Amino acid sequence: MSNSLQKELFIYNSLSGEKSIFIPLHEGKIGMYVCGPTVYSNVHLGNVRTFMSFDLIYRYLTHIGFKVRYVRNITDAGHLTDDGDVDNDRFVKQSRIEKLEPMEVVQKYTVDFHRVLDMFNLLPPTIEPTATGHILEQIELAQLLLNKGLAYEINGSVYFDVQSYNQKGLNYGELSRRNIEELLANTRDLDGQNEKKNPQDFALWKKASPAHIMRWNSPWGEGFPGWHLECTAMSTKYLGETFDIHGGGMDLKFPHHECEIAQGKGCFDVSPVRYWMHANMLTMNGQRMSKSTGNYILPLELVTGNNSFFEKAFSPRVVRFCFLQAHYRSVLDISNEAMMASEKGLNRLFEGIRLLDSIEASANSSSFSVADWEKNCYSAMNDDFNTPILIAHLYEAVKHINGLKEGRESLMAEDLAKFSNLIRAFVFDVLGLIDGAESAHSENSERLTGAVEILINMRRKAREDKNWALSDDIRDQLLAVGIQLKDGKDGTGFSLT
């Protein structure tokens, strides 16, 4: 893609509170870090919306020619619900509930996270580091902050000293626009707070209690890292002390991202991130999603229809399309009516794209300008990734496709080919949508595999029962319809002949 498109990109920066032209640190290259999941439970729809927003951003940056190093972490240790009682470590709490080792909890929900994101066609990041894989780096940063007088150790725990940070002329609260007095006034009394110098100080390293399972050696004794430090350690390791984009959900702005800024500036004397980006929240039926109120649904429950909120199951591509019809910085509300409308709109879009294959070029072009339409699409995405406006232009394209099919409009071969390539690029590459026909083919393949596996199991049972006639009959009938069974030491597989 042309370099001019890169120069026209504007991004809303949460730190400055305004949109500004995007200028990468290194021409043609972008370093982007997004806070990943804390894998102690099933990924929820709000998380999916956040990760989908940055998948869209990643896709578009790549589409217009940037080489993007996209780092998204896995939090698998040290996520305290507060800096007091270590029993509030979410992994420890969940391991007790499920009667599993903490790393079994981590593995179970990491697999769930990847499965759900694959279902919604999210691209994997280029690097996916884990907190437990970077304990040494976190210890080194905590020691660096101690050496610089910005942290203190007490009873085997290490805390970031917010007042010492501010006394150096820095500003803890610059991202969330809070001040020390406000923080002091709003800080809750928590168990273990008495060992801190000030309530707003946050843990870099926590001493492990005798019963704490997840623990590592450190210069201050056995313990585990605080939640905020891992992202500073991993983002700077893979992207440098200053990098282009840091993303996450709006709920992470304070305290998590605020703490990251303080840690980065404290360690390296530079602002760690040039553009802070935050995706807004997801609501359902006009209300905040919450387990406690019952207004809550998991991604698989929405896709399978196993819920009491929606009248039918909705495919992952419909859910994705629904999410992308709202700007990533806007609150998105999902409802049965919204999902039904998204399904109808997506079908209309795909029908138009498939119709393109049957349209013939003309010797003359009509008043429809492909160049103007292209400019409008890129203008939408260059305005802080405005997918609702892009989708409106895609619907406009469908009207032109119908006009071309009915002979009311015409395009010469070159313009028709360009138009066809552009609309497919925006729909499939940028928005990451999957054609219903392709999906149906994939679903049919999965059904075929499942049916053959059933027959393979029936054949294995027949052989165990020494019913050789039935075993041979299953094999021969499958071969007659083009499915060849292959027996091996690892079991029976099959191929299409």
Side-chain angles (χ1 to χ4, degrees):
M1 199 55 59
S2 68
N3 194 48
S4 62
L5 287 171
Q6 296 182 4
K7 294 178 180 178
E8 295 171 0
L9 177 61
F10 282 76
I11 292 178
Y12 181 86
N13 189 345
S14 298
L15 188 60
S16 66
E18 60 184 15
K19 278 188 282 192
S20 59
I21 194 162
F22 176 70
I23 303 173
L25 275 169
H26 306 286
E27 186 175 353
K29 298 179 180 179
I30 295 175
M32 181 170 77
Y33 185 90
V34 173
C35 290
T38 302
V39 284
Y40 70 97
S41 64
N42 296 107
V43 61
H44 60 74
L45 269 177
N47 293 142
V48 170
R49 195 228 172 160
T50 294
F51 298 128
M52 191 181 295
S53 296
F54 288 99
D55 178 70
L56 176 279
I57 290 166
Y58 176 41
R59 285 173 176 273
Y60 184 67
L61 293 174
T62 302
H63 172 73
I64 61 175
F66 284 109
K67 182 178 181 181
V68 184
R69 176 175 288 181
Y70 175 18
V71 183
R72 187 186 66 211
N73 72 301
I74 296 284
T75 296
D76 59 350
H79 193 149
L80 295 174
T81 52
D82 58 59
D83 282 339
D85 185 0
V86 294
D87 287 338
N88 285 327
D89 184 312
R90 290 180 171 181
F91 299 99
V92 173
K93 291 176 72 173
Q94 195 65 26
S95 68
R96 290 172 180 167
I97 293 170
E98 299 197 33
K99 294 181 171 56
L100 297 171
E101 288 291 324
M103 292 311 291
E104 287 182 295
V105 172
V106 166
Q107 178 66 14
K108 174 181 177 180
Y109 293 113
T110 300
V111 170
D112 170 74
F113 171 70
H114 288 142
R115 182 165 61 110
V116 169
L117 263 58
D118 286 344
M119 180 174 67
F120 290 109
N121 196 33
L122 272 70
L123 299 174
T126 48
I127 302 175
E128 191 175 54
T130 64
T132 55
H134 296 76
I135 298 296
L136 179 60
E137 289 85 350
Q138 294 175 76
I139 291 173
E140 289 175 345
L141 290 185
Q143 186 63 62
L144 178 58
L145 290 168
L146 281 168
N147 295 343
K148 300 181 76 167
L150 292 171
Y152 55 92
E153 183 268 334
I154 185 167
N155 298 328
S157 294
V158 180
Y159 295 98
F160 188 93
D161 192 331
V162 170
Q163 287 198 341
S164 292
Y165 177 79
N166 276 30
Q167 286 167 1
K168 290 181 179 290
L170 300 168
N171 178 21
Y172 181 78
E174 61 182 296
L175 179 64
S176 57
R177 294 170 179 78
R178 305 187 186 198
N179 55 51
I180 290 293
E181 288 73 22
E182 178 188 355
L183 295 172
L184 285 169
N186 294 332
T187 300
R188 294 176 296 135
D189 290 329
L190 301 169
D191 292 336
Q193 288 279 19
N194 59 338
E195 70 179 15
K196 297 182 182 182
K197 288 183 180 179
N198 297 289
Q200 73 273 17
D201 296 346
F202 55 89
L204 301 172
W205 185 265
K206 287 292 293 183
K207 179 182 179 179
S209 67
H212 203 89
I213 301 170
M214 302 181 81
R215 56 204 298 147
W216 291 266
N217 289 323
S218 79
W220 319 288
E222 288 192 343
F224 54 96
W227 171 32
H228 313 301
L229 193 57
E230 63 171 286
C231 286
T232 296
M234 290 185 279
S235 62
T236 56
K237 177 172 181 175
Y238 297 109
L239 300 175
E241 295 173 2
T242 299
F243 54 94
D244 296 299
I245 296 172
H246 193 314
M250 196 75 74
D251 57 317
L252 296 179
K253 185 182 291 187
F254 185 88
H256 186 54
H257 291 162
E258 200 74 75
C259 294
E260 282 191 65
I261 292 175
Q263 289 166 166
K265 285 188 172 181
C267 285
F268 307 115
D269 300 316
V270 292
S271 185
V273 178
R274 293 165 60 84
Y275 300 86
W276 284 93
M277 301 181 68
H278 292 93
N280 215 323
M281 64 185 295
L282 179 73
T283 61
M284 184 166 66
N285 296 319
Q287 297 180 332
R288 189 183 183 95
M289 290 185 66
S290 169
K291 285 184 179 180
S292 61
T293 63
N295 193 54
Y296 183 82
I297 186 173
L298 288 170
L300 284 174
E301 292 172 337
L302 177 57
V303 169
T304 61
N306 183 26
N307 66 84
S308 58
F309 297 101
F310 298 87
E311 66 180 77
K312 53 172 285 188
F314 292 97
S315 72
R317 63 184 179 273
V318 171
V319 177
R320 183 177 179 111
F321 187 60
C322 179
F323 283 14
L324 293 174
Q325 288 183 87
H327 190 268
Y328 78 91
R329 287 192 290 113
S330 301
V331 174
L332 168 65
D333 185 65
I334 59 169
S335 63
N336 188 72
E337 292 74 19
M339 293 302 302
M340 293 294 289
S342 293
E343 184 174 65
K344 182 178 180 180
L346 185 61
N347 288 337
R348 176 186 164 204
L349 183 59
F350 281 139
E351 286 168 5
I353 292 173
R354 287 192 288 270
L355 196 60
L356 268 173
D357 293 330
S358 63
I359 293 174
E360 296 183 359
S362 170
N364 301 303
S365 283
S366 69
S367 57
F368 167 45
S369 171
V370 174
D372 287 346
W373 179 81
E374 176 187 19
K375 182 180 179 180
N376 290 337
C377 289
Y378 280 112
S379 293
M381 289 303 291
N382 283 339
D383 182 16
D384 195 34
F385 311 99
N386 199 324
T387 52
I389 300 300
L390 171 64
I391 290 170
H393 291 311
L394 293 174
Y395 282 145
E396 178 194 351
V398 172
K399 291 182 180 179
H400 288 300
I401 291 170
N402 290 327
L404 292 168
K405 182 63 178 178
E406 295 165 7
R408 292 182 284 105
E409 299 186 56
S410 60
L411 285 177
M412 292 187 292
E414 183 178 349
D415 286 338
L416 180 60
K418 181 179 181 180
F419 179 50
S420 178
N421 289 335
L422 280 170
I423 191 170
R424 285 180 165 90
F426 282 116
V427 170
F428 302 132
D429 299 340
V430 175
L431 295 181
L433 298 168
I434 297 175
D435 191 329
E438 290 182 14
S439 180
H441 176 73
S442 175
E443 290 170 4
N444 287 337
S445 297
E446 291 176 5
R447 293 191 184 103
L448 173 63
T449 299
V452 174
E453 291 294 340
I454 291 171
L455 291 170
I456 288 174
N457 290 333
M458 290 174 60
R459 178 171 174 262
R460 184 179 65 247
K461 181 65 168 56
R463 296 179 72 172
E464 290 172 354
D465 296 341
K466 301 189 185 305
N467 188 344
W468 309 115
L470 177 58
S471 170
D472 291 345
D473 192 38
I474 292 172
R475 179 198 62 202
D476 294 342
Q477 288 200 47
L478 285 172
L479 184 61
V481 294
I483 301 171
Q484 182 178 16
L485 298 185
K486 297 181 180 181
D487 296 318
K489 62 180 181 179
D490 296 324
T492 302
F494 73 94
S495 62
L496 302 181
T497 61

